[in-house]
Amino acid sequence: MKDNTPRVTSLKSYLQHLPQDASHAIVSTNFAPYLISYLGFSTTEIIPQYDTGGGGITDFATRRNLENDIFLQTKSNPFLLIELKDRYTNLTENSPGYKATVNQLKRQLLGTKCKAAQWGIITNGSHIQLFRKHGKIIFPATTCIAITPENIDETVARIKTKIDNTPKALTVTVYNNKGGVGKTTTTINLAAILAFLGKKVLVLDFDFNQRDLTSSLLNINPEDGLLEKALTDRNIDLKSVIRPYIYIFQTKKLKITFDVVPADPKMAEYPEFQYNSQMKIFTLHRKLDLARYEYDYIFIDAAPNWRFPSQLAVYAADVVLLPTKHNNSFSLNNAATAIKEFLPQMQNFKKDGTPIALPIFFNGEKITQPQLQLAQKEIDQILENDKNLVPYFYPRYTNAKKDLHIHHLPEYAIIASAAFARVPAVYKNRSAHEYYKDLAKEYFLQ
Ligand SMILES: Nc1ncnc2c1ncn2[C@@H]1O[C@H](COP(=O)(O)OP(=O)(O)OP(=O)(O)O)[C@@H](O)[C@H]1O
Ligand SMILES: [Mg+2]
């Protein structure tokens, strides 16, 4: 079906004529269709009042037509959902109306009919924000922008560029300022399990002093000066530092592989001022530009400090995963500090709303009921000071249901000993395999 509807090329006059007190119906008829046209979707690529499948009804769903698959007819696999509000609803970032709308969009994007959806937009004709979906995770792709007739075209053009160039990867930095909480072990085993499940995965060892990730993988070795060169020379691609880790299951005649950027010992010797003169905070993020179109997941193992390499790693991330220990108040408090202070520092530089923190999980100690209660007491104290942190500690907590669920990865001796064998535990042991599959399901896989 050929569609010759002319594309809207400027939204300025539509916004100028949108009444300040526009109702939902007016935003829906006098603004949204032009916004969608500007984004490049024709009339047969749009469905109003789309039922997401368990996540409620969204105002508009859109997707490009394929040769024999006209979205308006098949109604399958929407690509972008748009949730509208009236102009009375305050969509200023972090206002109650904003939070409710974001939660509504998240539920919609997680609807059973939206598994393939990649993007979501909320707008009321006064604010607009773009969100990206990757598996289970939904995170901002822009900040919540106040729109005016003056900035609307440039703002929506930027959104269009993003959705026209949808990356494949989710970039996850594994971070906690506290040492020994399981960052490296989590990075390796998540990468390994996702590779086992058929995903294309890249891991980077950004702990240049300890280099534990590099030394936990057979045939992967530190490479002196190589990553430094790739990060500082604009003509050298990150590809020059990527090495394949290969594991062969003899019994199954099955070969699993994921890619690794080994640690660079030379970068461990850098004093802080040298980082500042040789690299910018966005250097790693930019060097990963191509990889984001090639891999499903990029994991970065960061060092337990907030020095420049950790900042590079956190800046490069879409989301930050924070392993903690239930019986170590430092690991809980450091996670809170990372969420409240360190991540916002990077968000301020980056200006696209990322990186965001994923909820914490407890790694690797047995938890008795009294111990759990002690941990909850510690967390309550943290939350007392800042209620905004609740979703990062208790992701399933709502006013209606006071669910104190925190994911827990058990302690298991094989997990530690596998590092000496230089093979990810998930390839050696069935229980370890299941533990990390559960972790991958809890956070990533839809
Ligand atoms: N679930 C687990 N079961 C048993 N042992 C574990 C588990 N997770 C991690 N370990 C062990 O705990 C120790 C610390 O883990 P790991 O090196 O991954 O922590 P880290 O946060 O990366 O440390 P650092 O801050 O020093 O980089 C290691 O010996 C590791 O093998
Ligand atoms: Mg480590």
Side-chain angles (χ1 to χ4, degrees):
M1 195 191 308
K2 195 106 187 103
D3 191 322
N4 294 319
T5 341
R7 293 261 151 93
V8 169
T9 54
S10 172
L11 293 166
K12 191 171 175 172
S13 67
Y14 297 105
L15 202 60
Q16 264 163 351
H17 293 110
L18 191 67
Q20 275 315 316
D21 59 354
S23 64
H24 184 277
I26 298 289
V27 174
S28 183
T29 52
N30 295 11
F31 177 62
Y34 308 106
L35 168 71
I36 296 169
S37 171
Y38 189 105
L39 290 173
F41 297 95
S42 60
T43 46
T44 59
E45 296 175 330
I46 306 167
I47 299 175
Q49 296 300 303
Y50 185 84
D51 185 345
T52 59
I57 290 170
T58 193
D59 287 288
F60 291 95
T62 73
R63 168 173 59 75
R64 299 228 183 287
N65 292 333
L66 303 168
E67 203 155 323
N68 292 314
D69 179 352
I70 307 299
F71 183 49
L72 189 59
Q73 290 167 358
T74 61
K75 298 184 169 58
S76 63
N77 299 327
F79 171 70
L80 162 71
L81 306 185
I82 301 176
E83 176 56 31
L84 299 177
K85 287 285 167 270
D86 56 54
R87 271 191 144 181
Y88 283 118
T89 304
N90 179 5
L91 283 191
T92 317
E93 211 155 336
N94 291 325
S95 66
Y98 169 83
K99 283 185 188 164
T101 309
V102 173
N103 284 335
Q104 194 183 357
L105 178 74
K106 284 185 178 173
R107 284 195 299 274
Q108 292 167 357
L109 283 166
L110 294 173
T112 52
K113 284 159 74 182
C114 300
K115 284 226 166 88
Q118 305 269 351
W119 300 98
I121 287 177
I122 58 168
T123 184
N124 60 353
S126 298
H127 281 90
I128 192 164
Q129 185 169 17
L130 176 69
F131 290 84
R132 168 131 166 75
K133 171 170 176 272
H134 185 288
K136 244 187 178 178
I137 294 182
I138 296 157
F139 57 96
T142 66
T143 53
C144 189
I145 302 163
I147 43 177
T148 63
E150 283 62 51
N151 75 4
I152 181 80
D153 286 334
E154 180 257 334
T155 302
V156 180
R158 256 195 305 137
I159 289 176
K160 178 167 165 42
T161 304
K162 289 196 185 228
I163 67 175
D164 286 348
N165 298 284
T166 305
K168 191 173 162 199
L170 178 77
T171 306
V172 185
T173 291
V174 183
Y175 178 73
N176 191 321
N177 202 8
K178 176 82 186 105
V181 293
K183 295 180 291 297
T184 303
T185 309
T186 302
T187 310
I188 289 185
N189 286 295
L190 270 180
I193 196 74
L194 287 163
F196 182 89
L197 296 171
K199 307 291 183 191
K200 196 161 159 50
V201 182
L202 172 67
V203 276
L204 294 86
D205 188 349
F206 251 64
D207 186 347
F208 306 122
N209 281 294
Q210 303 194 91
R211 309 191 275 275
D212 290 341
L213 185 131
T214 303
S215 39
S216 310
L217 294 170
L218 202 64
N219 294 326
I220 302 290
N221 298 303
E223 304 209 29
D224 216 22
L226 217 61
L227 178 61
E228 180 211 31
K229 222 173 158 66
L231 290 178
T232 51
D233 187 334
R234 71 170 62 197
N235 297 315
I236 295 182
D237 197 281
L238 202 64
K239 272 213 156 69
S240 64
V241 215
I242 293 176
R243 306 283 176 259
Y245 172 77
I246 298 165
Y247 185 80
I248 294 170
F249 284 90
Q250 298 293 359
T251 45
K252 297 183 194 155
K253 297 207 162 29
L254 182 67
K255 184 171 121 175
I256 310 281
T257 167
F258 58 87
D259 283 343
V260 185
V261 172
D264 179 350
K266 194 165 169 209
M267 287 183 60
E269 293 155 20
Y270 262 49
E272 201 74 1
F273 72 87
Q274 197 173 345
Y275 276 115
N276 285 317
S277 65
Q278 305 244 330
M279 284 169 219
K280 299 274 183 272
I281 195 77
F282 53 75
T283 296
L284 174 62
H285 184 262
R286 193 165 288 177
K287 280 286 171 179
L288 286 168
D289 277 349
L290 288 176
R292 278 194 288 274
Y293 292 95
E294 193 176 324
Y295 294 92
D296 296 301
Y297 290 92
I298 301 171
F299 284 98
I300 309 173
D301 181 25
N305 58 51
W306 190 234
R307 292 202 277 272
F308 199 76
S310 297
Q311 294 178 21
L312 287 174
V314 170
Y315 183 101
D318 299 314
V319 297
V320 176
L321 183 60
L322 296 146
T324 62
K325 285 191 178 287
H326 75 278
N327 55 3
N328 184 302
S329 73
F330 293 113
S331 77
L332 295 170
N333 280 287
N334 285 351
T337 304
I339 298 166
K340 273 202 311 203
E341 292 175 28
F342 299 162
L343 270 62
Q345 283 176 28
M346 297 302 111
Q347 288 163 3
N348 282 341
F349 286 129
K350 233 171 145 179
K351 297 192 166 54
D352 68 356
T354 68
I356 61 157
L358 297 174
I360 63 147
F361 70 98
F362 290 143
N363 181 65
E365 308 272 344
K366 240 194 221 93
I367 309 182
T368 61
Q369 201 52 35
Q371 283 175 328
L372 182 63
Q373 278 162 5
L374 271 178
Q376 283 169 346
K377 236 176 157 171
E378 186 70 33
I379 292 172
D380 286 347
Q381 235 158 47
I382 293 171
L383 299 180
E384 191 108 319
N385 295 324
D386 191 345
K387 295 261 180 305
N388 289 323
L389 293 180
V390 171
Y392 302 105
F393 284 87
Y394 298 132
R396 297 179 194 165
Y397 190 101
T398 61
N399 284 335
K401 200 158 149 251
K402 312 239 176 291
D403 186 338
L404 302 184
H405 160 91
I406 293 176
H407 189 81
H408 175 213
L409 200 134
E411 178 175 34
Y412 198 62
I414 296 281
I415 292 176
S417 65
F420 295 105
R422 305 193 74 188
V423 173
V426 297
Y427 295 161
K428 297 283 275 185
N429 180 275
R430 178 165 283 278
S431 297
H433 187 101
E434 292 305 319
Y435 294 151
Y436 283 96
K437 196 153 101 191
D438 284 347
L439 189 68
K441 279 190 195 155
E442 170 80 8
Y443 284 100
F444 303 113
L445 303 172
Q446 195 185 10

